[in-house]
Each structure stands twice: as C-alpha cells, then as structure tokens.
Amino acid sequence: MIPKLPILDDVDLGKLKVLVRVDFNVPLDSEGRILDTSRIRAHVATVRKLLEAGCAVVLMSHQGRPGEEGFTQLKPHSEILSNYLGIDVRFVEDVMGPAAVSEIKKLSSGEVLLLDNVRFVSEELVEAPPEVHARSFLVRRLAPLFDLYVFDAFATAHRSQPSIVGFPLVLKSVIGYVMRSEVEALRRIVNSDYSPRVFVLGGAKVADTLKIVENLSKNRLADRILTTGLVALVFHAARGGKVSEYVLKVLEDRGLITMVPRARRILLGGAPVDVPLDYVVVKNDGTVDECPASAIVGVPMDIGTYTMQMYSELMKDAKLIVMRGPAGYLEDPRFRAGSESLISSALRSSAFLVIGGGHLGALVGDSAGERTHVSTGGGALLMALAGEELPAIRALRESARKFFNWSDS
Ligand code: 3PG
C-alpha cells in the first residue's frame, strides 16, 4: 500500500527556510558536460512553488558514485537550474562545513542555494535505518538550520541514506511535485479501478524483472505481462519445448541460465506471461533477418513484426499500461523498431501509461501527454514494482505520524 503523504500544498510555506532533497544525478560526457538536463528540469515546479511562497530554498543532491566516472561537483547543475528558473542559483563548494552553514544562514527569502554533492560526505554512503541516520552528523548539523524538509528525489527513494531517510525523522517533512506524481503513478498501478492492466517488461535486468513478475502475479496486479528483451528469452527456455540453441547460448553467455528454474516456477504459479512470437536476429554472416521464436537462427536483437502486432492488440483495451526496459538493443538503430512500436501502440490506447524512465523515456520524448507518466526512477521504480516498501516512503510515513499526527499514513 502507498501511504498518504503530506505534500507542499498541505503546509503554510510563508517565508520558511527549506531543505529540498532533489535528484540532479545526470549523465555527463568525458569532459564533465551535462548530457541530459531532464532530471534538473523535473524539479523546477517544486522550487518555483517554494520561491513564490517566499521561502529560502537550499537544494541537496548527489551526482554519481564514488570511484566511478560522473562523481563530480554540482556547479554545472546550478547553472542549468539558473537558466530554467531565470534567477541566479547560488552554489557552495561544501555540504555541511563552515562555508555551507554560513551560506545557508545568510540565504534570504526568494533565494536558492545548491549545496555540493552530498556523496562527498562519507555518512551518505552508508545504508542504515532512518533511526540511525537521524543521528548522523550530517542531519544533526544541518537540520537545526531549517523549518521544513521537502523530499522530491523519487529516483533515490530506494536508498536508505541520511539525506533521504534521516531528515524526515527530525524535521517536519512533505513531498514535492516530482515525488507526488511518482506516488500517484504507483497508486494507479495497485488500484484495481484501472483494469485491464498490461505490463510490458524488457531490458537487461533479468533478476529484477523476475522479482517484479513474481510480485505482480502474487498480488494479481497484472492481467497480461508482455515480455521482451532478455527476460523473454528466459521465459522461452522456462516454457520448455523446442528452444533454439541461439537462445540457450545467449542465456549461457550472460550467466542467465540459472534464472530459468525460477521463471518456470513463476509460469507454473499461473503468471499471465506472454513471450514474443518472432524476433529480429543477426545471423552468423552478419545479416539481419526476422524469424519465428520457434526457429531462431541468429542472435535475437529485437522483437519481430508479428510480436509488435500481437502486443499492440493486447494493449488496445488496457486501462493501465506499465512499460519498463527496451524490447531491443536500442544503441543500434536497426533494433529500435520494437520499442518504438510498443510505445506508439501504448500511446494510441486509452490507457494511463507509466514508463520506467531511462531509454524508453527518451523514446517517448515530447509525445508524452496528460495520460503518460515518465518515471524519473530506475532502481526505485523497480523496487516499488517488486512490491517492496521504499525506505524514503517509510521515513516520510513516520514523519507524517510525528509532525502531522497522521495516524492513517
Ligand atoms: C539513479 O540514477 O537511479 C539515482 O540517482 C540513484 O543513484 P544510485 O543508484 O547511484 O543510488
């Protein structure tokens, strides 16, 4: 169940000093230039609302992971946000040291400050329960400087780190507009009024996807689960009968053959799983061809024409469609048609469409309308679809009990 959580509009925001956890974790090129600004743009409505109410707004985000490329400072992010907001977003090269504290104290109504990458603080790299993180140095040092905490970083909601779960236990907390639309989309997914419900699951994260299928099946959340990508190959093998040696080779090469018994148990449990009828393959001589699933003669790279038609037909009357993971190898334009066709079929239906960010979100582009929700979350969406409570939601639920006296949360 997704609890009711207080949102920005539930509090009198007049001139508060507000800490907002955003997710500005964006892809960067080798020179550190931002390649996609959509995650920054997503938070503009929340920040604007706070500024219009006269708040002094301090933003906190991570960028990348220590030791990996893309683990950098947030100065370029502040410049992008300045452009979107049309006002100067100050940046301080510090998270909780004297420079940050002094800037936070100086910040006036209607001003915005972005702190540096919160993962520069070692505590932020530790996964621990909210009660532990509420006592972290980061939280004890910064919380007294604020009147309100706003959580807007859905894409981090599966992490149990101090900036995500620590502040809600010690500060009055609400969710921002990004988080609100993500929570609403999750509610629709578990709401039986939206029926029939069709899930289209592909991509390369097979273990995560099997967990989702298990949850959907156990809780009867899906009327159809249309599989594509590697997970579909696992289900082909799990169904038995004649399985192409190419399929088995892909599964062996990717270390996925061990997933087959689990997929078989899912099928035997009665999960409504469909597999593709045909595939676009690359043959041994390098040519590209289409062949039926029962006679695959090459490495499968995308779903074929019959599958596109069948899946389109199965989506036609859906009231909710959830899509996660591409149907083919999108990096190569020859193998994009499957994903593109699934998206346009879903958009043609009258269903509310939830798209699991990343690659598919980019394919939707500007065609996303009122009835489409492109999630900002990767791991967070997977965890929610797999039926697990997100640590951020747990902490916010506790916070609502404590600061709003919301017993039904
Ligand atoms: C994401 O990109 O999924 C979020 O920003 C979380 O990043 P993480 O996987 O490094 O915690």
Side-chain angles (χ1 to χ4, degrees):
M1 196 192 103
I2 313 290
K4 184 166 171 271
L5 297 172
I7 64 167
L8 275 184
D9 305 332
D10 290 327
V11 284
D12 179 4
L13 293 170
K15 302 210 163 157
L16 302 181
K17 192 157 275 187
V18 183
L19 176 65
V20 190
R21 179 54 162 106
V22 289
D23 187 332
F24 285 176
N25 183 27
V26 290
L28 305 170
D29 69 11
S30 54
E31 322 259 277
R33 281 183 301 244
I34 296 177
L35 293 172
D36 176 2
T37 59
S38 51
R39 276 193 169 172
I40 301 175
R41 195 179 54 219
H43 292 290
V44 166
T46 297
V47 178
R48 272 218 181 105
K49 168 79 185 178
L50 291 164
L51 291 174
E52 279 162 14
C55 297
V57 182
V58 178
L59 305 174
M60 176 180 270
S61 176
H62 72 286
Q63 166 64 56
R65 298 174 179 167
E68 291 183 11
E69 270 185 34
F71 183 58
T72 62
Q73 291 201 311
L74 296 182
K75 185 152 184 17
H77 306 60
S78 67
E79 287 156 9
I80 304 269
L81 184 63
S82 296
N83 289 339
Y84 280 129
L85 289 172
I87 62 163
D88 183 42
V89 173
R90 289 201 222 156
F91 171 72
V92 58
E93 228 174 276
D94 189 12
V95 181
M96 61 175 186
V101 170
S102 150
E103 287 296 316
I104 294 169
K105 284 186 175 160
K106 273 196 314 217
L107 200 71
S108 309
S109 162
E111 293 183 331
V112 196
L113 170 71
L114 175 62
L115 301 174
D116 212 344
N117 189 342
V118 67
R119 287 192 179 165
F120 290 161
V121 175
S122 53
E123 283 175 328
E124 183 67 9
L125 309 174
V126 177
E127 289 273 324
E131 300 72 25
V132 172
H133 283 322
R135 295 192 298 273
S136 62
F137 194 75
L138 175 79
V139 172
R140 280 187 292 130
R141 181 142 169 110
L142 295 189
L145 307 176
F146 294 97
D147 307 300
L148 182 74
Y149 171 81
V150 177
F151 182 77
D152 212 21
F154 173 71
T156 67
H158 58 311
R159 303 281 178 219
S160 198
Q161 294 163 342
S163 72
I164 299 156
V165 300
F167 288 107
L169 263 55
V170 298
L171 269 175
K172 187 170 189 175
S173 302
V174 296
I175 58 172
Y177 295 142
V178 171
M179 188 65 186
R180 180 181 64 177
S181 66
E182 298 281 1
V183 165
E184 276 169 7
L186 292 180
R187 283 211 186 93
R188 282 184 152 111
I189 291 171
V190 294
N191 180 346
S192 56
D193 291 350
Y194 291 86
S195 180
R197 282 173 290 191
V198 177
F199 286 71
V200 188
L201 303 177
K205 294 182 178 163
V206 174
D208 291 331
T209 308
L210 290 183
K211 210 165 166 194
I212 294 172
V213 177
E214 277 161 355
N215 176 52
L216 296 175
S217 175
K218 189 175 88 201
N219 298 316
R220 301 191 180 284
L221 290 177
D223 295 283
R224 305 289 296 222
I225 302 170
L226 313 180
T227 61
T228 63
L230 287 175
V231 75
L233 300 184
V234 173
F235 277 112
H236 275 297
R239 287 200 332 177
K242 190 167 158 251
V243 184
S244 149
E245 63 186 272
Y246 286 95
V247 170
L248 294 175
K249 181 155 174 10
V250 171
L251 297 181
E252 261 152 28
D253 290 351
R254 303 273 194 141
L256 295 173
I257 209 84
T258 52
M259 305 274 176
V260 173
R262 185 170 167 192
R264 189 168 296 134
R265 280 195 297 278
I266 294 174
L267 292 177
L268 290 173
V273 173
D274 286 281
V275 288
L277 297 175
D278 58 349
Y279 285 93
V280 176
V281 301
V282 175
K283 291 178 157 173
N284 285 344
D285 62 4
T287 56
V288 173
D289 203 356
E290 288 204 20
C291 53
S294 55
I296 293 176
V297 285
V299 180
M301 302 298 278
D302 194 6
I303 55 171
T305 315
Y306 288 104
T307 309
M308 293 180 212
Q309 284 163 3
M310 174 175 86
Y311 282 9
S312 167
E313 186 65 30
L314 293 174
M315 281 190 267
K316 217 169 69 196
D317 298 323
K319 291 288 172 293
L320 174 86
I321 299 174
V322 180
M323 283 191 163
R324 160 85 222 163
Y329 183 70
L330 293 184
E331 285 77 1
D332 186 329
R334 293 175 299 171
F335 310 121
R336 260 183 223 157
S339 304
E340 285 171 350
S341 127
L342 292 177
I343 286 182
S344 48
S345 301
L347 288 170
R348 272 199 312 275
S349 76
S350 61
F352 185 80
L353 173 61
V354 179
I355 302 228
H359 294 99
L360 286 185
L363 282 187
V364 178
D366 292 337
S367 19
E370 288 277 288
R371 281 187 297 104
T372 306
H373 171 74
V374 179
S375 177
T376 50
L381 184 70
L382 284 174
M383 190 170 174
L385 291 176
E388 289 174 38
E389 185 174 39
L390 297 168
I393 292 192
R394 188 190 141 207
L396 291 161
R397 184 161 49 83
E398 281 302 312
S399 187
R401 279 209 187 108
K402 195 164 165 184
F403 295 99
F404 287 81
N405 227 356
W406 281 15
S407 52
D408 63 330
S409 295

